[in-house]
Amino acid sequence: MNRAVTYDPNIHCIADLEKAAMEKLPPMVRDFYSGGSMDLHTLKGNQQAFDSYRLRPRVMIDVTEVDTSIDCLGSNVSFPLGIAPAANHGLAHPDAELGTSRAAAKKRVNMGLSSWSNVHSRDVAKAGEGSGISYGQQLCVVKHEPTNLSIIKNAEEAGYKALFLTVDCPWLGRRLNEMKNSFGLPPHLGFPNYPFIKAKGMVSDDERTQYAADLTWSYVRELKQKTTMQIWLKGILTAEDAVNAVEAGADGILVSNHGGRQLDGAMCTLEALPEIVEAVKGRIPIHIDGGIRRGSDIFKALALGADYCWIGRVPLYGLAYNGEDGVSLALNILHDEFRTVMALMGCRTVKDIKPEHLARMGVDGRLRKVTQSPSQPTPNL
């Protein structure tokens, strides 16, 4: 029988991994990782949006060989999934971002690093040295420009390929769980990018940590003169802003709502994706994060026009469960699931994945095939 590989006797899917991780974490950390803003409608919707699409498999196609690899950020990766920037990996396990980086390197997938990492960007890159993967540095712009430029310079020197500029965070969303738990870091952890921050008393008026609320599209143009890294805008949810991003010279878009941690009630990322794809018209690549928990989710996002997918919470679940090996477990499960879905859908390569592989329920109660978007050139990923 062609049974799937069992990597862990207790963990067979990401839902299993999340449950096991949550049982291990203390309440403050569990709530920090799993929480979002206000009533969590957007957070929950990110996952639920994938279930609104059905798969339209094609049969009698030779799928003896299924190639899941793709080029992204100048690297050939094993499948179209990367580790998204997420703060405080060190709260999940002592391996922290180093363990995440090593797991990404072993699996050959790209990694984005949060500016609120517990490990220096240089050391994170060294942990994956020689693997051929690419790293991106996330940045929430603060009022103190020398702090922003220091983070950018450190990433450049460490060989990072892209700067993921978070554009949906002029003000921090109302994250009720963090307020209730008086969230703070334990004494053994810190933020290398913000060494002046103390574990306690994280609420501060220091302009070195206060997010800049006055950013406009001109900042993107200015940054392009200050860094050799690609500039990707993370947090785009509308066609209008997607067009603005292209016109401002962005190298790529990451469709994101901050994992539901900013504006509750905002569109789910999969819901926002089609209008952004249509507006961009292939001029720059489009990536997506938010709610991806299954290989079929990756497939659906690609079918709707995403070039690449990112996961933020799933690696944290893996770390909490079993450190670096737990992250590897998560990546192996998702890769196997994605490859199986591709085969059962009749897709031999990632380029074979098309909108018509999906259907969605119409107002008349009938499933309707997703139609092809206007012809678009393939961007450089």
Side-chain angles (χ1 to χ4, degrees):
M1 298 290 288
N2 300 316
R3 297 289 185 191
V5 174
T6 298
Y7 296 100
D8 184 292
N10 301 309
I11 308 296
H12 307 290
C13 61
I14 300 304
D16 290 344
L17 185 64
E18 179 179 3
K19 182 176 183 295
M22 293 301 104
E23 290 172 351
K24 285 192 169 190
L25 292 171
M28 184 191 73
V29 179
R30 179 196 64 215
D31 292 350
F32 174 72
Y33 285 159
S34 62
S37 66
M38 295 303 291
D39 299 312
L40 311 183
H41 293 305
T42 296
L43 185 152
K44 296 172 184 175
N46 274 347
Q47 292 187 49
Q48 294 166 354
F50 287 94
D51 294 332
S52 65
Y53 289 90
R54 295 289 184 264
L55 299 169
R56 300 182 68 250
R58 301 300 305 276
V59 299
M60 300 299 287
I61 297 171
D62 183 355
V63 288
T64 304
E65 300 292 335
V66 174
D67 181 7
T68 63
S69 66
I70 190 172
D71 291 331
C72 179
L73 296 178
S75 296
N76 182 261
V77 293
S78 60
F79 70 126
L81 186 76
I83 294 176
N88 293 315
H89 287 212
L91 289 174
H93 191 276
D95 286 351
E97 285 85 359
L98 295 179
T100 307
S101 180
R102 290 192 292 264
K106 283 191 297 185
K107 191 61 189 176
R108 213 176 84 247
V109 297
N110 293 334
M111 178 178 174
L113 183 70
S114 171
S115 59
W116 297 96
S117 166
N118 301 132
V119 179
H120 197 283
S121 55
R122 173 190 60 247
D123 298 324
V124 172
K126 282 185 178 179
E129 197 169 28
S131 64
I133 67 172
S134 294
Y135 289 86
Q137 174 67 64
Q138 178 270 344
L139 176 66
C140 284
V141 180
V142 295
K143 295 178 180 178
H144 190 243
E145 187 65 4
T147 296
N148 299 321
L149 294 178
S150 173
I151 294 171
I152 292 171
K153 180 181 178 183
N154 287 338
E156 277 185 345
E157 291 178 349
Y160 284 55
K161 297 288 185 65
L163 179 69
F164 296 144
L165 189 69
T166 294
V167 294
D168 63 352
C169 202
W171 288 37
L172 194 67
R174 289 184 64 82
R175 304 169 186 179
L176 304 186
N177 63 85
E178 295 179 27
M179 298 163 70
K180 292 173 182 176
N181 291 328
S182 299
F183 178 78
L185 290 189
H188 69 281
L189 292 177
F191 299 116
N193 284 319
Y194 312 98
F196 40 84
I197 295 179
K198 304 303 178 185
K200 294 298 181 182
M202 292 178 66
V203 178
S204 170
D205 291 329
D206 191 328
E207 69 173 9
R208 294 175 297 177
T209 61
Q210 288 288 303
Y211 293 152
D214 60 349
L215 291 186
T216 64
W217 296 103
S218 63
Y219 188 74
V220 179
R221 302 183 187 96
E222 292 168 10
L223 270 187
K224 290 184 73 69
Q225 306 303 315
K226 298 177 181 179
T227 179
T228 58
M229 291 186 289
Q230 295 182 26
I231 296 179
W232 288 64
L233 303 189
K234 181 181 184 296
I236 301 290
L237 284 179
T238 65
E240 296 91 332
D241 281 342
V243 171
N244 286 336
V246 173
E247 293 176 349
D251 295 292
I253 287 172
L254 180 46
V255 181
S256 176
N257 54 36
H258 219 104
R261 300 170 76 87
Q262 279 298 97
L263 179 62
D264 195 30
M267 288 185 294
C268 305
T269 53
L270 196 72
E271 294 170 340
L273 178 62
E275 71 170 75
I276 292 174
V277 170
E278 184 175 359
V280 169
K281 302 184 187 305
R283 289 173 287 178
I284 57 175
I286 299 169
H287 295 185
I288 186 173
D289 68 20
I292 294 167
R293 298 293 186 274
R294 298 165 295 199
S296 58
D297 296 341
I298 303 170
F299 187 97
K300 291 174 181 179
L302 297 179
L304 289 175
D307 297 300
Y308 197 73
C309 302
W310 298 85
I311 49 172
R313 287 182 170 93
V314 173
L316 298 174
Y317 301 155
L319 276 176
Y321 179 67
N322 194 24
E324 175 188 337
D325 290 341
V327 182
S328 291
L329 171 64
L331 293 173
N332 285 332
I333 288 172
L334 287 170
H335 189 193
D336 286 2
E337 288 179 357
F338 177 66
R339 183 168 48 221
T340 299
V341 172
M342 279 186 59
L344 295 178
M345 291 296 292
C347 296
R348 291 177 287 195
T349 71
V350 173
K351 290 182 179 179
D352 294 334
I353 302 172
K354 305 294 182 184
E356 55 262 34
H357 283 113
L358 301 183
R360 197 174 192 185
M361 193 73 70
V363 293
D364 59 358
R366 293 181 57 189
L367 282 174
R368 304 286 184 182
K369 179 173 66 173
V370 176
T371 56
Q372 177 71 51
S373 299
S375 180
Q376 302 166 354
T378 302
N380 294 322
L381 302 184

